[in-house]
Amino acid sequence: MSLLKQLFIAICLFLVVAFTGSFIAGVEHSREQSLAQLRSHAQDAATALGLSLTPHVDDPAMLELMVSSIFDSGYFASIRVVAIPGGEVLVERHSTTTADKVPDWFARLVDLQPQGGDALIMRGWEQAARVEVLSHPQFALARLWDSALASLLWLLGCGLVSALLGAWLLRTQLRPLDALVQQAQAISRREFHSLPKVPRTPELKRVVLAMNQMVDKLRTLFAEEAARSEQLRKSAYQDSLTGLANRRLFDIRLANQLIVNEQNAEGYLLLLRVNDLAGLNQRLGAQHSDALLAAIGERLRQCSVEAGHGDWLASRNRGGEFSLLAPGLSAEEAERLAAQLCDALDSLGRTGASDCSPVAHLGLAAFRPGESAEQVLERADQALAEAQRHAQRPWARIDDFSAAPAHSHEHWRTWLDATLAGRHLQLFFQPVRRCTGERELLHHKVLARLHDAQGETVPAGRFLPWVERFGWAARLDMAMLELCLEHLQRHPQPLALSLSAASLQDAGNLERLLAMLDKQPACAHLLTLEIDERHLPPADELEQLCQAIRRTGYRLGLQHFGGRFSLIGNLTRLGLAYLKIDGSYIRAIDREPDKRLFIETIRRATHSIDLPLIAEMVETEGELQVLERLGIHGAMGRAIGTPQLRAE
């Protein structure tokens, strides 16, 4: 029971006891007063009647008449005249009437008995008779009943008003406690909010200030750890001149992209080499050359943003050599991208950024999962060499295999449209387990696969780029969500499902998704929705999104984390279920100490807000052992379990 209810009940009990005591005391006082009045009334009547009867003591008729005239007033229960000596009754009148409007239970409870008085009738100097009078309590009882009713109604009214005012006052004074409860609940959800309004009550004020101080301290510690981690990431994986990824991160991402799994897609690697950088340094100066490199880096970054592919990686490998890793890029799109870059480089040349023509050469090399990084880089170098020999255009493309799908653009559109409309998707489940102990199952990651006309399984890495090209990512999400909810109704087990940026950033799509979640509240504790770090909306929109999903009862996780580590400062307000570290930071972690240092930094930052970390794409037992020593919460990948048609 809440403190507010306990205090309210205590106040009500106090009022009941106080008003009951006051009511009983008032009734008892009125009863004693009525009894005294009845005795006084009876004695006065007896005295007056005795004096009136003295002249007529020997006249029985007059005695009868005078006694009857007084008795008929109705205030007396009995009047009688008794002779002295002898004790015979000369005149007697009595009544048995009761107060009609007074309940019997009240009359019995009050027990207001008739009160008597007596007086002597003299015959000269001797006592002739005695008058005995009993006052009837009916009128006093009626007045006492009316007084008790009025007192009870007044006390009830006062009690009701006092209870309402007390409840309002308690709620007003204890409202900061509700805010403290919400603040504590937010802390349990890994959200750190300070209460802006400090109560005036000294006791509550001290509690609120202490809670705010604790929250500020936690937020400061987390922000410091996040800033330290971000600085470490920049020094390890970011080029200081251009702000792009450095060669180390490029090698990691390329190797990770070439792993055969459900999500990795074919694409192109673009190599860009500045023409005669050494000569530019000598002719124009190092500062001018650095400005050219920074401008080229900014243009490559814009290409990634304009294309809307968060999984593309622009990097500066060394000196004047840049690269753009573009999974999901088709051959036609690669050529258009090369042409656009060449136009942008020509514009830089016309502004005087370089005195060479062309400003740079570009080489495009197709890649697909399963190849080695050496093969892809050798192919890109060959394309770059061919571009340098080509006089007509400064770029070249080399494909050792058909990078484009075997089917036409229209075939993919027709087939995917029919598949999504009919929900002809097949769910595969990949286990996610704890890194420690008995490898306890945390949940299953839900993956999508399709079957083509020949019955062959088509992994997500092949059809997802086409789904994104056609703008059907939200349709795929809705179909997958419907299938997951249906699966959970038949097989209740913890699942995790990825959502695309199209479902989260479009208001209509998000509204339909939330409506579907609201219809299935029973599955909320079993399904965690995951969003990609590379497709996150701005901080304010992200916080509103997390709140909207949490209101449905479902949880939210963040996958592929690590590329935008500055986001970790905002995680305290999101209430995430977990973070999944991108597999590029996990690959070969048992052989690369710098990765271990980076992951340990992330773990310390998230551990301060009790946010679990899960490693993606754990491929070897050595990697798993390192993650276990680092204290990572969970892991997924081939070392844990491959995707299966049925969940374990």
Side-chain angles (χ1 to χ4, degrees), residues 157-176:
C158 291
L160 180 61
V161 172
S162 300
L164 293 176
L165 288 176
W168 173 80
L169 183 62
L170 281 176
R171 185 171 294 276
T172 301
Q173 293 297 320
L174 298 181
R175 190 169 296 158

Side-chain angles (χ1 to χ4, degrees), residues 256-276:
N256 187 68
Q257 187 64 43
L258 296 177
I259 296 174
V260 179
N261 61 24
E262 291 293 317
Q263 299 178 353
N264 284 346
E266 303 171 351
Y268 275 84
L269 171 63
L270 183 148
L271 283 187
L272 183 151
R273 185 173 296 158
V274 177
N275 194 4
D276 193 18

Side-chain angles (χ1 to χ4, degrees), residues 134-409:
L134 286 178
S135 294
H136 202 297
Q138 61 176 341
F139 297 106
L141 192 60
R143 287 195 302 272
L144 189 59
W145 170 249
D146 293 338
S147 176
L149 279 181
S151 178
L152 180 63
L153 292 176
W154 171 252
L155 292 177
L156 287 177
C158 291
L160 180 61
V161 172
S162 300
L164 293 176
L165 288 176
W168 173 80
L169 183 62
L170 281 176
R171 185 171 294 276
T172 301
Q173 293 297 320
L174 298 181
R175 190 169 296 158
L177 289 181
D178 295 334
L180 285 174
V181 171
Q182 296 176 2
Q183 187 182 34
Q185 292 173 345
I187 292 175
S188 67
R189 297 193 303 266
R190 308 174 191 94
E191 303 173 21
F192 298 97
H193 303 300
S194 297
L195 296 180
K197 188 175 181 180
V198 179
R200 297 179 180 179
T201 307
E203 294 79 6
L204 294 178
K205 182 179 181 180
R206 290 198 299 269
V207 175
V208 170
L209 290 177
M211 286 289 291
N212 284 347
Q213 184 178 6
M214 181 189 69
V215 168
D216 292 340
K217 183 66 174 179
L218 288 174
R219 188 188 297 117
T220 301
L221 290 175
F222 184 73
E224 291 175 353
E225 191 66 35
R228 192 180 304 112
S229 302
E230 174 64 10
Q231 185 61 38
L232 177 63
R233 187 196 68 84
K234 288 182 177 180
S235 61
Y237 299 114
Q238 184 172 309
D239 179 64
S240 58
L241 176 61
T242 62
L244 301 179
N246 59 15
R247 180 59 185 261
R248 176 183 298 173
L249 183 57
F250 167 75
D251 290 338
I252 293 173
R253 287 288 298 274
L254 178 60
N256 187 68
Q257 187 64 43
L258 296 177
I259 296 174
V260 179
N261 61 24
E262 291 293 317
Q263 299 178 353
N264 284 346
E266 303 171 351
Y268 275 84
L269 171 63
L270 183 148
L271 283 187
L272 183 151
R273 185 173 296 158
V274 177
N275 194 4
D276 193 18
L277 179 61
L280 288 175
N281 279 326
Q282 294 179 355
R283 295 190 299 273
L284 303 179
Q287 186 175 1
H288 196 94
S289 299
D290 289 345
L292 173 63
L293 296 177
I296 294 175
E298 180 60 28
R299 184 56 197 161
L300 287 175
R301 184 185 295 108
Q302 290 177 2
C303 287
S304 301
V305 174
E306 292 170 359
H309 293 283
D311 54 351
W312 285 15
L313 178 70
S315 62
R316 181 190 176 203
N317 297 342
R318 67 176 71 87
E321 184 176 292
F322 295 81
S323 63
L324 180 62
L325 184 63
L329 192 68
S330 65
E332 295 79 6
E333 293 170 337
E335 292 187 356
R336 286 198 298 270
L337 176 63
Q340 292 173 3
L341 280 174
C342 289
D343 291 340
L345 293 174
D346 288 343
S347 299
L348 285 176
R350 288 192 293 271
T351 61
S354 174
D355 57 1
C356 297
S357 181
V359 176
H361 294 90
L362 288 78
L364 294 167
F367 66 84
R368 61 180 172 187
E371 293 187 297
S372 66
E374 291 76 11
Q375 289 176 309
V376 176
L377 290 174
E378 182 179 355
R379 189 180 304 135
D381 286 335
Q382 291 177 358
L384 190 58
E386 182 177 337
Q388 291 173 339
R389 292 193 300 267
H390 207 292
Q392 296 181 352
R393 65 182 187 185
W395 63 270
R397 176 170 65 90
I398 294 180
D399 300 335
D400 282 359
F401 65 94
S402 178
H407 299 293
S408 65
H409 183 281

